[in-house]
């Protein structure tokens, strides 16, 4: 199969002429992301300036990807090109702030693109129109022409970051299970794509059921469960080469629900033996499995805290599935979910402060978040079947699986802001389930 | 510069699609990929006899992996058949309905398969003739999202294979 590793070297440097230190988010142009709904910030991103012959298309396309990223957050509203009074014909020319003020563009993004062979260079600036000044310094990225989308995402990440003060998440990927066929004959295969659905590639064929892929901390490997042997077992797959190997294959047992430790060295997973499911940890290179729980109840869906010291997981030891936290070495576990209903698939946020989970209550499913001590539970979604949250690398957005009911029910990927705003379907060809968001690339 | 107004809005849940009618064609054959319906159901040593007359499947209550009295009788009959037909091995599949997370349902299906396995072994069926596998909610037999279908999907299926023990 095609080599997946992006053959992309990104050079990142401030312009020499603007090498003074960036002002640390001191400008007035700022979106404070709160739990309420905010009025999206109006901005303009004219086509980037094509600085070499033959770069016109990429210059236009990159502006569209930048805009799609920003608009997709629900925090920004683009003022369309047809409303623009000024045009940007030279990257270095002074900005006519009055023309952008007149159309109420609070932020303006300008950029220049040059192409030499398959090398692509993009530079950009962000302006606070009403303050009449640049926001931070211009930046320049170098890469290859086939990586132009990634470079556009990097620009958008930088803009997002400057205006919100949060880390970005656009230059990221999602590994998931692509689904086709009817509900009682569903074909599943692993697939990977950019976070926005572009550059879809398949990592396995559909000859065996595959479930719940999870990225390594560096995004180069994926853990998942496959029925390749006829029995569910955990595999690790190299994203670049699509080479895979079974991680845990002990006859008479099944293993599933794997997840990497934050240092990428070990894997925690469920192992079922004699009908009983417990949590185990093992080195990614293989070797002995260490048992972390030892109860007759079901223990599954483990997820590490970002510092690797704790594991949140799901257990029905109390009689119904609930969330618990224990040391990463096992031992006593503390229950953290006490609301009505059943809780499952907890996932620790990259910031460490929240746990996202699936909740089932009164015949409905929800994606929700709570603090790590179980307080401040908030449900972000409600539907016939929502499950399996995964965090964007900046901890602001959650992607999950939504399945519709009935004989023609299908699975699709959705995302929602951690505030509960901006629920939307992720554009993917065909059905999809079990998304896992990569770290920022 | 203008202040960004903050407006509290509730995120509306997405309206549910209308519930579709169940497909109650009753033609489920499990997900077994064994040898199929070898032999005639009138031959008591055939797979077809086991599947149809003895009964290859057992249904479970919501969230339960305990065999019902009726389920127990089916498994006891399976045990007798396996004791009398020692050339066969079996994979016991455990399944769950769609009301539950993928991970939990995998574990629940494993409990169901194990419940059947334990009873078979307690009746003298050699444990090396039996394997279990859970499909969780991955292989529904019935596809409506109503209890009538869920009840058929919360099942174990004993899938026979003729030939060598592992």
């Amino acid at each position: 199969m095609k080599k997946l590793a992006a053959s992309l070297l990104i050079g990142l440097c401030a312009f020499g002429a603007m090498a003074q230190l960036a002002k640390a988010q001191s400008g007035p142009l700022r979106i404070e992301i709160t739990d309420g709904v905010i009025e999206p910030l109006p901005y303009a991103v004219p086509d980037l300036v094509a600085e070499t012959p033959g770069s016109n298309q990429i210059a236009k396309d990159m502006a569209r990807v930048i805009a799609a990223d920003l608009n997709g957050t629900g925090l920004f509203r683009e003022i369309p090109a047809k409303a623009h009074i000024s045009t940007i014909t030279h990257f270095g020319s002074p900005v006519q702030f009055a023309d952008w003020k007149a159309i109420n563009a609070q932020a303006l993004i300008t950029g220049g693109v040059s192409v030499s062979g398959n090398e692509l260079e993009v530079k950009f600036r962000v302006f606070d129109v009403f303050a009449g000044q640049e926001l931070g310094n211009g930046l320049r990225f170098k890469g290859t022409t086939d990586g132009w989308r990634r470079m556009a995402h990097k620009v958008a990440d930088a803009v997002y970051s400057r205006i919100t003060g949060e880390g970005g998440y656009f230059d990221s990927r999602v590994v998931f299970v692509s689904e086709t066929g009817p509900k009682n004959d569903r074909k599943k295969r692993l697939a990977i794509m950019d976070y926005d659905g572009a550059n879809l590639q398949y990592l396995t064929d559909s000859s065996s059921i595959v479930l719940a892929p999870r990225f390594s901390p560096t995004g180069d490997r994926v853990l998942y469960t496959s029925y390749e042997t006829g029995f569910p077992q955990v595999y690790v797959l190299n994203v670049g080469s699509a080479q895979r190997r079974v991680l845990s294959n002990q006859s008479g047992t099944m293993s599933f629900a794997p997840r990497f430790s934050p240092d990428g060295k070990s894997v925690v997973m469920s192992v079922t033996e004699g009908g009983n499911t417990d949590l185990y940890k093992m080195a990614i290179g293989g070797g002995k499995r260490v048992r972390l729980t030892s109860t007759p109840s079901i223990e599954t869906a483990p997820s590490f805290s970002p510092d690797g010291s704790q594991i949140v997981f799901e257990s029905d030891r109390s009689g119904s599935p609930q969330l618990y936290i224990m040391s990463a070495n096992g031992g006593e576990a503390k229950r953290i979910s006490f609301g009505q209903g059943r809780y499952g698939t907890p996932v620790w946020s990259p910031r460490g402060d929240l746990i996202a989970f699936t909740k089932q209550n009164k015949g409905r499913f929800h994606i929700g978040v709570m603090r790590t001590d179980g307080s401040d539970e908030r449900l972000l979604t409600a539907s016939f079947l929502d499950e399996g949250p995964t965090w964007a690398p900046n901890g602001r957005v959650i992607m999950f699986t939504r399945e519709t009911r009935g004989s023609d029910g299908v699975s699709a990927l959705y995302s929602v802001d951690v505030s509960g705003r901006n629920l939307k379907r992720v554009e993917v060809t065909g059905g999809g389930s079990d998304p896992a968001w990569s770290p920022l690339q | 510069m203008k202040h960004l107004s903050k407006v509290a809005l509730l995120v509306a849940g997405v309206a549910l699609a209308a519930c579709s009618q169940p497909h109650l064609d009753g033609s489920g054959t499990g997900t077994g990929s064994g040898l199929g319906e070898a032999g005639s159901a009138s031959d008591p040593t055939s797979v077809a006899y086991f599947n149809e007359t003895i009964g290859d499947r057992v249904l479970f209550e919501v969230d339960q992996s305990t065999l019902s009295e009726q389920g127990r009788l089916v498994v006891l009959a399976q045990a007798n058949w396996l004791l009398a037909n020692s050339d066969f091995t079996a994979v016991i599949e455990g399944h769950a309905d769609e009301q539950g997370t993928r991970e939990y349902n995998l574990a629940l299906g494993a409990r169901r398969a194990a419940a059947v396995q334990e009873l078979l072994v307690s009746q003298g069926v050699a444990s090396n003739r039996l394997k279990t596998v859970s499909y969780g909610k991955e292989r529904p037999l019935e596809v409506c999202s109503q209890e009538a279908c869920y009840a058929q999907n919360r099942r174990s299926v004993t899938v026979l294979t003729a030939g060598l023990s592992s």
Side-chain angles (χ1 to χ4, degrees), chain A residues 37 39 106 183 188 209 227 231 275 298 314 316 342 345 360 364 384 387 402 405-407 420 434, chain B residues 1 5 7 11 14 16 20 63 98-99 101-104 106-107 111 114 132 134 137-139 143 145:
Chain A
V37 169
E39 188 65 31
Q106 296 189 17
K183 199 168 168 181
K188 295 192 165 194
I209 302 171
Y227 281 70
F231 300 85
I298 289 172
E314 168 186 353
D316 68 355
R342 303 151 58 103
T345 63
Q360 196 183 347
R364 303 273 284 170
F384 166 70
E387 69 170 307
R402 171 165 289 182
R405 68 184 298 151
S407 55
D434 294 359
Chain B
M1 102 174 241
S5 61
V7 182
V11 174
V14 170
L16 286 177
S20 32
D63 273 341
E98 68 189 355
Q99 292 283 294
T101 61
R102 200 176 310 290
E103 290 82 358
Y104 189 80
L106 276 176
R111 273 183 178 163
T132 59
S134 175
K137 60 176 174 178
E138 300 305 313
R139 287 287 180 264
V143 294
S145 295

Side-chain angles (χ1 to χ4, degrees), chain A residues 78-159:
Chain A
E78 188 190 11
I79 295 171
K82 64 177 189 294
H84 297 181
I85 299 166
S86 275
T87 53
I88 305 289
T89 49
H90 291 93
F91 179 68
S93 300
V95 168
Q96 303 302 314
F97 289 111
D99 288 349
W100 301 103
K101 253 185 223 177
I103 59 171
N104 194 34
Q106 296 189 17
L108 170 69
I109 302 157
T110 67
V113 170
S114 52
V115 172
S116 167
N118 67 349
E119 283 180 15
L120 172 64
E121 181 175 317
V122 59
K123 52 193 176 181
F124 73 97
R125 289 191 173 110
V126 188
F127 295 94
D128 178 341
V129 169
F130 283 71
Q133 65 186 29
E134 191 173 352
L135 190 66
N137 289 324
L139 286 177
R140 180 160 51 193
F141 299 116
K142 280 184 181 174
T144 55
T145 48
D146 58 2
W148 69 270
R149 289 189 71 93
R150 273 199 67 186
M151 293 172 70
H153 291 314
K154 282 189 172 295
V155 172
D157 274 327
V159 172

Side-chain angles (χ1 to χ4, degrees), chain B residues 4 12 24 28 31 35 41 48 51 54 68 70 80 84 100 108 112 114 118 133 138 147 149-150 154 162:
Chain B
L4 301 172
L24 294 173
T31 64
L35 298 182
N51 289 350
I54 303 285
S68 66
Q70 192 189 352
N80 286 334
L108 180 59
R112 288 172 176 161
E118 280 165 24
V133 61
E138 300 305 313
E147 176 53 26
C149 290
Y150 294 160
R154 293 188 300 265

